């Protein structure tokens, strides 16, 4: 498995502001993903972070709201823009390495919007 | 669209009993089926997986079965222990046209001592 870290681990933000979440992996990975997990709910894929190109977003998620960067094979950021209380959730980074199909998750960022 | 249904949503068993969680998927292109365990406040942890060319896989007290024809797969935990208490998620992945994993809604397992 890969060692995945996320920063911040949690934050409380005012509505209308933006928060950028960082995901760092200890080694190069082929694929990086961002998920949202609302309280007591399952994992919903926001987007696949593509190295050197625009992220691929899932239905219901748009770049203006969730801009994503992936400048190299070990790092990605997710920004939650113009936040509202409905954005309160846990945001998780996930990776796949090489040709392996196993997918591993970071520790998550717990976001509360007031 | 693609969907993974998971049952039951909550399962309570006595320590030492078995627990079974069942999932159904809709995308016939799915070829990889992982199971994750998520303890309270922790990240989802991959505990076992099965590929589409295999019908059953076992790892100590946990086993998974897959019926590709019926698009069903199941997680079996034997001799349950209190530390098995967690939320379990099934998932179905496809590797065609880009890798994508769809998760079930989760099963909250309580193991009573």
């Amino acid at each position: 498995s890969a060692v995945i870290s996320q920063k911040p681990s949690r934050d409380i933000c005012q509505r209308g502001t933006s928060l950028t979440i960082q995901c760092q992996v200890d080694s190069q990975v082929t694929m990086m993903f961002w998920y949202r997990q609302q309280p007591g709910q399952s994992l919903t894929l926001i987007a696949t972070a593509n190295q050197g190109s625009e992220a691929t977003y899932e239905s219901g998620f748009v770049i203006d709201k969730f801009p994503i960067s992936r400048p190299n094979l070990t790092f990605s950021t997710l920004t939650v823009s113009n936040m509202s209380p409905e954005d309160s959730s846990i945001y998780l980074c996930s990776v796949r390495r090489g040709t392996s199909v196993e997918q591993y998750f970071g520790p998550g960022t717990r976001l509360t919007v007031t | 669209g693609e969907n993974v249904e998971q049952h039951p949503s909550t399962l309570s068993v006595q320590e030492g009993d078995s627990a079974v969680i069942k999932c159904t998927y809709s995308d016939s292109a799915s070829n990889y089926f992982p199971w994750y365990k998520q303890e309270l406040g922790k990240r989802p942890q991959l505990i076992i997986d099965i590929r589409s060319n295999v019908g059953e896989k076992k790892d100590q007290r946990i086993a998974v079965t897959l019926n590709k024809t019926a698009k069903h797969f199941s997680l079996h935990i034997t001799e349950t222990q209190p530390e098995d208490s967690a939320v379990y998620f099934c998932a179905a992945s496809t590797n065609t046209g880009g890798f994508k994993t769809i998760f079930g809604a989760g099963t909250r397992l309580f193991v009573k001592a």
Side-chain angles (χ1 to χ4, degrees):
Chain A
S1 65
V3 176
I4 309 166
S5 60
Q6 282 185 235
K7 282 196 273 189
S9 58
R10 59 178 62 225
D11 207 342
I12 301 173
C13 301
Q14 300 278 354
R15 72 169 66 211
T17 62
S18 298
L19 176 72
T20 295
I21 302 166
Q22 299 179 3
C23 176
Q24 179 73 55
V25 192
D26 68 333
S27 58
Q28 294 183 350
V29 294
T30 48
M31 302 188 79
M32 297 181 79
F33 310 91
W34 286 99
Y35 284 81
R36 182 173 73 184
Q37 186 175 31
Q38 294 179 307
Q41 301 296 310
S42 185
L43 299 145
T44 301
L45 180 63
I46 298 171
T48 301
N50 300 309
Q51 194 259 330
S53 64
E54 196 170 284
T56 304
Y57 289 84
E58 296 300 307
S59 176
F61 298 97
V62 294
I63 188 171
D64 289 348
K65 176 67 176 178
F66 298 101
I68 287 170
S69 79
R70 189 177 171 194
N72 56 51
L73 294 177
T74 63
F75 184 78
S76 177
T77 65
L78 168 74
T79 299
V80 186
S81 303
N82 188 24
M83 288 183 285
S84 66
E86 293 72 39
D87 295 320
S88 297
S89 189
I90 297 173
Y91 292 86
L92 296 130
C93 172
S94 179
V95 306
R96 270 183 76 206
R97 174 182 282 156
T99 57
S100 169
V101 291
E102 287 87 6
Q103 192 172 338
Y104 299 97
F105 285 88
T109 296
R110 183 180 295 273
L111 171 62
T112 303
V113 184
T114 60
Chain B
E2 303 93 345
N3 187 45
V4 175
E5 293 191 2
Q6 183 171 348
H7 299 281
S9 57
T10 305
L11 179 59
S12 184
V13 300
Q14 204 66 38
E15 181 178 3
D17 288 351
S18 295
V20 180
I21 302 170
K22 298 184 178 183
C23 291
T24 304
Y25 62 98
S26 61
D27 188 351
S28 55
S30 297
N31 54 12
Y32 172 64
F33 306 90
W35 287 87
Y36 289 84
K37 174 183 180 183
Q38 187 175 32
E39 296 175 86
L40 190 63
K42 302 283 183 64
R43 75 187 80 188
Q45 295 273 13
L46 178 65
I47 58 171
I48 196 167
D49 55 21
I50 191 166
R51 286 159 174 75
S52 59
N53 58 348
V54 175
E56 185 172 353
K57 182 178 178 181
K58 190 173 181 180
D59 182 4
Q60 299 183 351
R61 294 187 298 107
I62 59 174
V64 290
T65 60
L66 171 65
N67 182 330
K68 278 219 78 176
T69 303
K71 296 182 186 171
H72 290 169
F73 58 115
S74 301
L75 176 71
H76 304 250
I77 306 174
T78 59
E79 301 171 29
T80 54
Q81 300 165 3
E83 51 265 38
D84 294 329
S85 297
V87 179
Y88 291 81
F89 292 99
C90 65
S93 294
T94 59
N95 224 358
T96 52
F99 183 83
K100 188 169 181 177
T101 301
I102 305 295
F103 286 83
T107 296
R108 188 173 295 276
L109 174 64
F110 296 96
V111 180
K112 296 176 286 186

